[in-house]
Amino acid sequence: MDLAKIVRKDDDGLEAWVEFIRGFRVRLKFISRAAFLSLTAKHRKISWNQQTRSREEDVDTDGVNTEFIQKYVLDWEGLTPAILLDMMPVADPSALDEIEVIDFTTNNAKLLMSECADFERFVTESAMDVSNFQSIHKEELAGNSKSTPSGS
C-alpha cells in the first residue's frame, strides 16, 4: 500500500479546540511536520557575512508567525485579562479593568505569539500533534462507516 495515497493533507481542514491554560483554549487546524518545515523554509533568508566570509541563514519569525496564524490558528475563547497578565507584562493593567474577555484577531494572535514564548511553542506544537485531532478523526471515520451498508 502506498501511504501517500491515504495520508491526510493539511488542507483537509482537521480542526480541534486545545486548552492552553485552564479556561483559555485555542481552535487550531492540523499542520504536518512537512508543511511546517516548508512554511519556515519559505521565510528563510540567506545572506553573506563579510566578516566571517560565510553564508548565514536567518528565519523571518514574524513572517512565519503571520502565515501560521492566518492558516492554522482559527479562534480562541476564554482569554481574560487575568490570564493575559499571567502570560506577559502589560503596560497599563488598569486599562484591562473594563474588559471581560480579549477577542481573537489576527493582530492579537500575532502579538501574543511574538511576546509569549510559551504560547508560541504551545500553538505550533499543538497544531502538529496528531493526538489533539484523533478523536475528531475517529468520529469522522465512525460517521463514514455508519453511512455504508452493513451487509446484514
Side-chain angles (χ1 to χ4, degrees), residues 54-65:
S54 62
R55 293 181 350 165
E56 292 183 349
E57 287 188 15
D58 186 37
V59 175
D60 173 17
T61 54
D62 287 339
V64 171
N65 284 347

Side-chain angles (χ1 to χ4, degrees), residues 4-119:
K5 292 179 182 177
I6 63 169
V7 171
R8 192 172 191 136
K9 305 291 184 232
D10 289 335
D11 58 0
D12 284 349
L14 195 56
E15 302 172 6
W17 284 97
V18 185
E19 190 166 53
F20 175 59
I21 296 175
R22 197 167 143 207
F24 174 37
R25 61 188 201 146
V26 183
R27 188 166 60 117
L28 301 171
K29 183 177 172 185
F30 175 74
I31 179 173
S32 67
R33 177 169 158 62
F36 185 75
L37 292 174
S38 175
L39 179 104
T40 55
K42 187 165 48 168
H43 293 278
R44 185 172 292 133
K45 296 176 184 171
I46 299 174
S47 59
W48 182 257
N49 185 325
Q50 295 285 356
Q51 291 178 334
T52 62
R53 298 176 190 233
S54 62
R55 293 181 350 165
E56 292 183 349
E57 287 188 15
D58 186 37
V59 175
D60 173 17
T61 54
D62 287 339
V64 171
N65 284 347
T66 298
E67 188 171 345
F68 186 84
I69 290 165
Q70 289 171 345
K71 292 182 178 179
Y72 302 101
V73 181
L74 307 174
D75 198 2
W76 69 42
E77 61 182 29
L79 178 57
T80 63
I83 291 172
L84 182 67
L85 289 170
D86 286 342
M87 294 173 64
M88 59 190 285
V90 176
D92 182 13
S94 65
L96 298 172
D97 291 344
E98 301 296 318
I99 301 171
E100 288 184 36
V101 293
I102 298 162
D103 294 328
F104 173 83
T105 65
T106 301
N107 287 337
N108 284 348
K110 281 172 49 177
L111 181 69
L112 210 53
M113 282 187 74
S114 67
E115 295 295 325
C116 181
D118 289 342
F119 183 72

